[in-house]
C-alpha cells in the first residue's frame, strides 16, 4: 500500500558513455575493497545516462532529480574533515511524478580535474557522480566513483644523483642513480662503490618509501610506508668493489609524487639505502626521488630507454 505517494521504490543506475572501451584500473575504495573503475583525465568530458527503473505499476513522486560531479578530499582519521574541491550540478528533472521508468542523459563538458585520485593511509582523494532524487522524507541516492590520472610531460632536465656517505675511518661509499625523476613504469639503474670498508657488512638492500603528510603546523602528521624492497648484496664487500642496481618500478603499486594538494596533503617518495653489519647495526642513507605518470607508449620505446641507461651505468 502506498501511504506517501512514493510508489513501490525505484532502482537508479549511472551509465558512462563509452564505458566498454574506456581504460579501467583496479582502485582501492575502502580499507578492504578494490574495484575496477573507469579512468578519466583532466579536461576530459564526463557524460552518460541515468536510468531510473520503476517496478510494474509503481510510481515515484519526487521534488526534482539532479546529478553532481564531485571531487572530494577526506582525511580518514577525521571523518568530519571533508573538503569538496570540485562540485558541478546538472538538473535532470523538475519536481513531478514518474509513472514509468525513464532514462536521462547528462554531460559535464571539459571538466577540470586538477588532482590524481588517491587512497592512502590517512587521506583519500576521490571523484564521483552522485544522483539525488529528492523526496518528501528521505532522498534516493546513487553514487558511481571513477578514477582520475594526472599525466605529466617528460622532464626537460633530469640529472643523475651522485652522493658520498660514510663513517669516518670506518665506511665510505659512493652511490649513483641514473636520474632523480622516474615515471611509474621506469627502472631505477645505478651503482654503489665501496671506497673504504672497515666495517663487516653482511647485508645491503634498497627500499622505496612513500611518505604521506597530512595537516599543517603543529597538527602535521607523517606516515611512512615501505612500498618496495630490493636486495642489493648478501655478503661482505671489499674496498674498490662496485655493486650494480636495477629496480623496476612497474611491479609496485605507486602513485605520482604529490605536492601540497589543495593545502591538505603531500606524497613523497624516497630511496633508502640500508646496510647491516655483523652486529646487526643498521646504516641508512635516504634520497628523495620524483615519480610521475606518463601516457601509454609502445614497449619498444621503454626498452630502448632502459638499454640506454644500462649502457651508461653498466648495470
Amino acid at each position: 500500500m502506498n501511504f506517501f505517494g512514493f510508489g513501490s521504490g525505484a532502482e537508479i543506475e549511472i551509465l558512462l558513455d563509452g564505458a566498454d572501451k574506456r581504460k579501467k584500473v583496479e582502485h582501492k575504495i575502502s580499507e578492504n575493497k578494490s574495484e575496477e573503475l573507469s579512468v578519466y583525465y583532466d579536461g576530459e568530458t564526463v557524460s552518460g545516462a541515468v536510468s531510473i527503473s520503476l517496478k510494474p505499476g509503481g510510481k515515484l513522486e519526487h521534488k526534482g532529480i539532479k546529478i553532481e560531479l564531485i571531487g572530494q578530499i577526506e582525511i580518514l582519521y577525521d571523518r568530519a574533515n571533508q573538503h569538496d574541491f570540485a562540485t558541478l550540478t546538472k538538473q535532470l528533472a523538475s519536481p513531478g511524478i514518474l509513472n514509468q521508468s525513464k532514462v536521462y542523459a547528462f554531460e559535464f563538458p571539459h571538466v577540470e580535474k586538477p588532482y590524481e585520485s588517491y587512497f592512502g593511509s590517512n587521506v583519500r582523494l576521490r571523484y564521483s557522480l552522485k544522483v539525488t532524487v529528492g523526496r518528501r522524507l528521505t532522498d534516493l541516492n546513487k553514487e558511481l566513483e571513477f578514477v582520475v590520472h594526472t599525466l605529466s610531460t617528460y622532464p626537460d632536465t633530469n640529472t643523475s644523483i651522485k652522493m658520498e656517505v660514510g663513517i669516518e675511518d670506518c665506511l665510505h661509499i659512493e652511490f649513483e642513480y641514473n636520474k632523480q625523476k622516474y615515471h611509474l613504469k621506469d627502472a631505477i639503474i645505478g651503482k654503489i662503490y665501496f671506497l673504504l670498508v672497515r666495517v663487516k657488512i653482511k647485508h645491503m638492500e634498497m627500499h622505496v618509501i612513500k611518505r604521506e603528510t597530512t595537516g599543517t603546523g603543529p597538527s602535521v602528521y607523517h606516515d611512512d610506508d615501505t612500498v618496495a624492497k630490493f636486495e642489493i648484496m648478501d655478503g661482505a664487500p671489499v674496498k674498490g668493489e662496485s655493486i650494480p642496481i636495477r629496480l623496476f618500478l612497474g611491479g609496485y603499486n605507486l602513485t605520482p609524487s604529490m605536492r601540497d594538494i589543495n593545502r591538505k596533503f603531500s606524497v613523497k617518495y624516497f630511496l633508502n639505502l640500508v646496510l647491516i653489519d655483523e652486529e646487526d647495526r643498521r646504516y641508512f642513507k635516504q634520497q628523495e626521488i620524483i615519480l610521475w605518470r606518463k601516457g601509454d607508449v609502445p614497449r619498444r620505446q621503454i626498452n630502448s630507454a632502459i638499454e640506454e641507461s644500462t649502457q651508461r651505468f653498466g648495470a
Side-chain angles (χ1 to χ4, degrees):
M1 188 172 183
N2 180 9
F3 292 101
F4 303 105
F6 297 151
S8 54
E11 291 185 2
I12 305 172
E13 186 177 9
I14 304 173
L15 307 170
L16 295 171
D17 285 343
D20 55 335
K21 298 179 181 179
R22 181 168 293 278
K23 178 181 177 180
K24 293 181 174 60
V25 296
E26 196 74 17
H27 186 74
K28 193 173 182 181
I29 61 171
S30 68
E31 286 297 331
N32 302 310
K33 186 179 180 182
S34 296
E35 286 187 1
E36 193 175 64
L37 302 180
S38 297
V39 176
Y40 286 83
Y41 300 95
D42 183 28
E44 192 174 4
T45 294
V46 180
S47 62
V50 174
S51 172
I52 300 180
S53 301
L54 302 182
K55 294 181 179 180
K59 69 176 182 177
L60 177 65
E61 182 180 343
H62 63 86
K63 298 191 296 181
I65 304 172
K66 67 179 180 180
I67 184 169
E68 298 170 281
L69 191 154
I70 302 170
Q72 183 182 79
I73 296 174
E74 178 183 4
I75 307 300
L76 298 182
Y77 56 76
D78 181 8
R79 295 288 181 175
N81 190 358
Q82 294 184 355
H83 173 69
D84 292 349
F85 60 85
T87 305
L88 300 173
T89 303
K90 295 284 185 180
Q91 199 70 26
L92 300 178
S94 300
I97 298 176
L98 283 181
N99 293 306
Q100 60 183 1
S101 300
K102 193 165 184 178
V103 176
Y104 301 91
F106 70 87
E107 182 181 63
F108 295 98
H110 311 299
V111 181
E112 182 180 356
K113 312 175 197 71
Y115 311 123
E116 172 128 352
S117 298
Y118 177 76
F119 197 119
S121 300
N122 296 296
V123 65
R124 179 183 186 185
L125 191 153
R126 62 191 294 267
Y127 293 85
S128 64
L129 292 166
K130 181 180 179 182
V131 174
T132 301
V133 178
R135 298 199 304 176
R136 193 179 308 168
L137 293 180
T138 305
D139 292 345
L140 294 177
N141 293 298
K142 179 69 174 182
E143 203 165 355
L144 177 66
E145 188 169 345
F146 61 92
V147 169
V148 168
H149 281 175
T150 301
L151 303 181
S152 301
T153 57
Y154 195 88
D156 294 330
T157 57
N158 200 356
T159 57
S160 61
I161 302 171
K162 189 172 183 179
M163 298 182 68
E164 293 185 7
V165 297
I167 305 170
E168 187 175 359
D169 297 329
C170 292
L171 180 67
H172 189 192
I173 64 175
E174 178 182 275
F175 63 89
E176 183 175 6
Y177 304 123
N178 57 334
K179 49 192 175 183
Q180 187 176 17
K181 301 173 183 177
Y182 297 90
H183 62 78
L184 300 184
K185 304 297 181 183
D186 214 337
I188 297 173
I189 297 173
K191 282 184 177 181
I192 296 177
Y193 306 90
F194 290 89
L195 305 177
L196 177 64
V197 184
R198 290 179 179 170
V199 178
K200 293 183 179 180
I201 302 296
K202 69 174 183 179
H203 185 72
M204 181 166 58
E205 59 189 23
M206 185 169 67
H207 302 166
V208 178
I209 295 176
K210 181 179 74 171
R211 177 170 298 160
E212 180 185 286
T213 302
T214 53
T216 57
S219 61
V220 68
Y221 182 78
H222 301 288
D223 184 274
D224 285 3
D225 180 26
T226 301
V227 294
K229 284 187 178 181
F230 178 72
E231 184 179 278
I232 297 174
M233 181 195 69
D234 187 11
V238 297
K239 180 180 178 180
E241 190 170 357
S242 174
I243 306 294
I245 296 173
R246 178 185 285 186
L247 174 61
F248 293 92
L249 298 175
Y252 301 99
N253 185 22
L254 304 172
T255 70
S257 300
M258 302 180 185
R259 302 284 181 176
D260 195 23
I261 300 299
N262 209 249
R263 299 183 179 180
K264 300 293 182 183
F265 72 99
S266 297
V267 178
K268 297 181 181 181
Y269 288 90
F270 297 86
L271 293 179
N272 192 31
L273 186 65
V274 182
L275 292 86
I276 305 171
D277 68 14
E278 291 187 345
E279 297 180 6
D280 287 330
R281 290 176 298 196
R282 302 170 73 90
Y283 307 89
F284 302 90
K285 183 59 183 180
Q286 200 169 87
Q287 172 65 43
E288 184 179 2
I289 58 173
I290 308 298
L291 298 187
W292 56 284
R293 185 186 300 280
K294 70 175 181 178
D296 296 331
V297 296
R299 182 173 294 276
R300 62 177 178 273
Q301 294 184 21
I302 298 176
N303 292 336
S304 176
I306 293 174
E307 289 174 4
E308 182 180 342
S309 296
T310 301
Q311 291 172 4
R312 178 181 173 190
F313 286 86

